[in-house]
Amino acid sequence: MTLVIEGLRKGFQRKKGPYQEVLRGVDLTVEQGEFVSLIGHSGCGKSTLLNLVAGLQQPDAGRILLDAKVIDGPGPDRAMVFQNYSLLPRLSLLANVREAARAARPDRPKGRTDEIVERYLTAVGLWEHRDKRPAQISGGMAQRTAVARAFAVRPRLLLLDEPFGALDALTRARLQQQLVELWAHESETETVLMVTHGIDEAVLLADRIVVMANPPSPSVVETLRIPIARPRDRVTIVDDPAFRSTQERLMALLTADAAHAA
Amino acid sequence: MTITTGAPLDTEQATPPDVLREPTALSAIRRPSGGGVERLRAMGWALVGLAVLGALWQLGSALSPDLPSPAEGLRELWHLLSNPFYDNGPNDKGVGRHVLISLQRVFTGFTMAALVGIPLGLFIGATKRGWQAGNPVVQLLRPVSPLAWFPIWLIITKNPGKAAVFVIFITALWPTVLNTAAGAGAIPRDQRNVALVFQFGRMAYLRHVLLPNALPSVVTGLRQSMGIAWMVIVAVEMLSGGAGIGGFVWESYNTADMAAVTAAILIIGSLGLLLDVGFLRLGRRVALEEVQA
């Protein structure tokens, strides 16, 4: 699914503060099958951009097109993994995934949905824990459930909002691996848009990295292509010269923005 | 569908179920800190408090000779409770019969209020239009003493007993509506986003997001309603006269039987305490279900 963003503007009225334009004219095209990371300091509008693409908010100006159609709200062609897992606390893991899949795809026969739900819960290693409630499981398990929930919708555009930010390093590494495997082999999910503040995570996972910044810089400072072949291995990737140069470039851009902010 | 919320109630986190913390008469004794000795000590202090109450009563009866002493009140209580359900016609019934009539009125009015108030509260709390339309009406009528409604209901029903039931309905309605609306308006943002992104239908949203989040507040509202209803029933029955524990109190006053009045106060207080503890248990169960899964 091709995502085209044209001249996107969005601002907020801060409490006890001036009106702040968070997205100052964003143009971005994400090709079908691409994995794109949005990176930047907090407040740069990367999550806002994701919410606009999800249809949770409306832009002040500009358009978002999915396969040449303007989006005007949430749709089953998109699914999201939220930063704080956002599972419904009273439902079992199974019911969390199943209810979302059914709601997003009401036309799909129930048996088919149940099949898909079982497949993704198994893929993230949670099928035997399916009857537990969110309060009974770890953050890593909760986020795996949220990943299974998003995949079970079979979206064509997967939106990830700092999905691994709250997890410890080992869990994060395992989940990144699972995500890439699901994306590459398990699913027809074709396009991924991921918000992150982890440089290494972005370089490891993305085909392209969109660097965003606070005023006075433009919203999108630079777009970097990662010329590293897949499958990528988190251990050997650091030996790739492209890894180091991309990392350094990102660090320079983000440090420059931090200097602006200060 | 659109999922909106009454803005003034919109907070990031749902209100925690305060039923776990709100004190009752028993909570000091219950609190499990310190084990058996502490528990005995707590009960000892409860007895001290009751003894002070008895002493004040004794003092009051000494200063005002028309009032019965605690001993006379308790003797009358014993007398009333020894044959509570006798029935010698409309003007001479046992206190138990009066209590049953009052309880029946309270529960009828309370149930009606729950049936109307919970859906209304969900509507007001969960939708912007519902909030804009409903909130001014509720805020206007809520400060009105439920007793002011008595003439209205009396002229409609032509029956003091039925009018009392409808007064209880009004009494229990506002706390039920307001608490339900507060719970329904405080759906955590992330749960609302999940419902939006995955395009939950009306029923799925109601079942999986709205009701579970509103439930603890609903129970709090019902508990408040019951507490106030139990207070108001006495007043409205004193107004309507005849049957019911409030009628009994007024009747006793008119026949200068002040010992019966004090005994009735003790009965009313004990029953109110029992009702409150019942709802507290219910609320605790609702809240714990979530925690324990």
Side-chain angles (χ1 to χ4, degrees):
Chain A
M1 172 164 272
T2 310
L3 168 69
V4 176
I5 296 170
E6 296 175 346
L8 200 65
R9 290 181 176 276
K10 180 73 178 173
F12 298 98
Q13 185 64 51
R14 301 274 173 217
K15 272 179 198 161
K16 291 180 192 167
Y19 184 81
Q20 198 178 337
E21 192 156 47
V22 175
L23 296 177
R24 303 173 295 283
V26 174
D27 297 288
L28 178 68
T29 300
V30 180
E31 300 296 338
Q32 180 152 319
E34 232 187 336
F35 192 129
V36 168
S37 272
L38 306 172
I39 198 167
H41 294 292
S42 42
C44 73
K46 51 196 195 302
S47 287
T48 304
L49 181 56
L50 207 68
N51 286 339
L52 288 167
V53 175
L56 287 173
Q57 292 171 14
Q58 296 301 315
D60 296 339
R63 314 191 289 170
I64 301 169
L65 299 113
L66 285 171
D67 284 344
K69 261 186 67 187
V70 175
I71 65 151
D72 59 353
D77 48 0
R78 283 152 290 152
M80 192 154 169
V81 176
F82 299 90
Q83 192 175 356
N84 53 355
Y85 327 133
S86 298
L87 300 176
L88 300 180
R90 293 215 168 215
L91 296 182
S92 69
L93 305 190
L94 176 66
N96 261 290
V97 178
R98 193 183 53 207
E99 292 304 323
R102 280 186 186 163
R105 298 283 193 187
D107 47 321
R108 200 158 58 186
K110 272 193 178 171
R112 177 82 185 117
T113 298
D114 291 347
E115 230 172 77
I116 293 170
V117 167
E118 176 171 353
R119 188 163 127 214
Y120 286 111
L121 268 178
T122 308
V124 297
L126 289 175
W127 182 245
E128 62 267 39
H129 300 289
R130 62 187 177 277
D131 293 325
K132 291 189 175 159
R133 301 265 186 119
Q136 297 172 298
I137 60 174
S138 66
M141 288 165 87
Q143 198 57 302
R144 270 144 70 197
T145 310
V147 167
R149 177 172 66 181
F151 272 91
V153 172
R154 292 287 184 90
R156 303 198 53 218
L157 174 59
L158 184 62
L159 304 168
L160 307 167
D161 188 3
E162 296 188 29
F164 313 128
L167 304 174
D168 65 87
L170 278 173
T171 311
R172 189 185 311 140
R174 219 175 47 231
L175 262 169
Q176 287 166 344
Q177 191 64 35
Q178 273 185 346
L179 174 73
V180 172
E181 279 168 15
L182 276 173
W183 176 58
H185 307 298
E186 269 272 6
S187 174
E188 66 207 23
T189 299
E190 293 161 345
T191 310
V192 182
L193 198 56
M194 179 177 79
V195 165
T196 180
H197 50 217
I199 290 178
D200 290 356
E201 178 171 276
V203 180
L204 177 69
L205 297 177
D207 297 312
R208 214 148 45 102
I209 297 175
V210 175
V211 183
M212 298 180 69
N214 287 300
S217 309
S219 273
V220 174
V221 192
E222 193 167 317
T223 302
L224 299 172
R225 191 164 288 284
I226 316 294
I228 303 176
R230 293 181 191 275
R232 297 171 184 167
D233 184 287
R234 69 171 52 256
V235 180
T236 56
I237 196 173
V238 293
D239 301 327
D240 196 308
F243 180 87
R244 186 55 56 83
S245 65
T246 312
Q247 204 185 30
E248 277 166 8
R249 178 73 191 136
L250 283 172
M251 191 64 89
L253 287 167
L254 292 172
T255 314
D257 184 45
H260 269 312
Chain B
M1 73 178 282
T2 55
I3 297 159
T4 51
T5 172
L9 293 172
D10 186 13
T11 53
E12 278 293 313
Q13 290 299 312
T15 42
D18 50 0
V19 283
L20 288 174
R21 280 187 298 275
E22 263 180 73
T24 67
L26 300 179
S27 55
I29 299 173
R30 282 262 178 70
R31 202 158 292 154
S33 61
V37 180
E38 177 58 30
R39 201 185 157 99
L40 275 177
R41 206 169 280 164
M43 287 166 96
W45 280 104
L47 288 176
V48 169
L50 289 173
V52 170
L53 175 70
L56 286 172
W57 182 357
Q58 187 73 56
L59 186 69
S61 65
L63 295 174
S64 175
D66 291 334
L67 292 183
S69 68
E72 286 164 334
L74 290 173
R75 204 178 307 127
E76 179 64 19
L77 181 65
W78 179 252
H79 173 68
L80 289 174
L81 292 180
S82 59
N83 184 14
F85 294 115
Y86 74 88
D87 188 352
N88 299 334
N91 294 323
D92 189 12
K93 288 190 211 306
V95 71
R97 290 200 178 269
H98 287 289
V99 163
L100 286 180
I101 288 165
S102 295
L103 280 174
Q104 197 193 348
R105 285 172 181 162
V106 164
F107 275 105
T108 310
F110 173 82
T111 306
M112 283 161 47
L115 291 176
V116 175
I118 294 172
L120 190 62
L122 289 176
F123 176 65
I124 289 177
T127 67
K128 199 163 149 189
R129 299 300 170 214
W131 173 262
Q132 288 167 345
N135 189 46
V137 177
V138 174
Q139 297 302 339
L140 175 73
L141 295 180
R142 188 175 65 110
V144 177
S145 165
L147 292 173
W149 288 84
F150 186 68
I152 308 266
W153 293 118
L154 194 57
I155 207 101
I156 295 173
T157 61
K158 318 276 189 221
N159 176 324
K162 279 187 187 147
V165 170
F166 280 104
V167 167
I168 294 304
F169 164 72
I170 294 286
T171 305
L173 190 60
W174 310 130
T176 306
V177 168
L178 285 174
N179 279 284
T180 305
I187 309 294
R189 184 180 298 281
D190 64 318
Q191 292 189 35
R192 255 185 295 152
N193 281 343
V194 165
L196 284 167
V197 163
F198 295 101
Q199 299 188 291
F200 277 32
R202 226 167 257 281
M203 282 316 290
Y205 184 71
L206 193 71
R207 252 184 79 197
H208 300 309
V209 181
L210 191 57
L211 283 179
N213 278 291
L215 196 57
S217 312
V218 171
V219 175
T220 302
L222 292 179
R223 180 175 164 226
Q224 276 181 20
S225 294
M226 181 53 87
I228 304 172
W230 188 240
M231 285 197 265
V232 168
I233 190 66
V234 177
V236 75
E237 284 170 349
M238 288 173 75
L239 205 58
S240 70
I245 188 68
F248 175 84
V249 169
W250 197 239
E251 177 79 15
S252 303
Y253 167 76
N254 282 329
T255 54
D257 188 356
M258 292 308 289
V261 172
T262 54
I265 286 174
L266 294 174
I267 292 172
I268 293 165
S270 311
L271 283 171
L273 175 59
L274 280 179
L275 289 172
D276 194 52
V277 168
F279 270 92
L280 192 75
R281 291 247 168 100
L282 179 67
R284 215 170 263 164
R285 180 179 287 184
V286 168
L288 286 182
E289 190 198 318
E290 185 161 19
V291 177
Q292 295 168 342

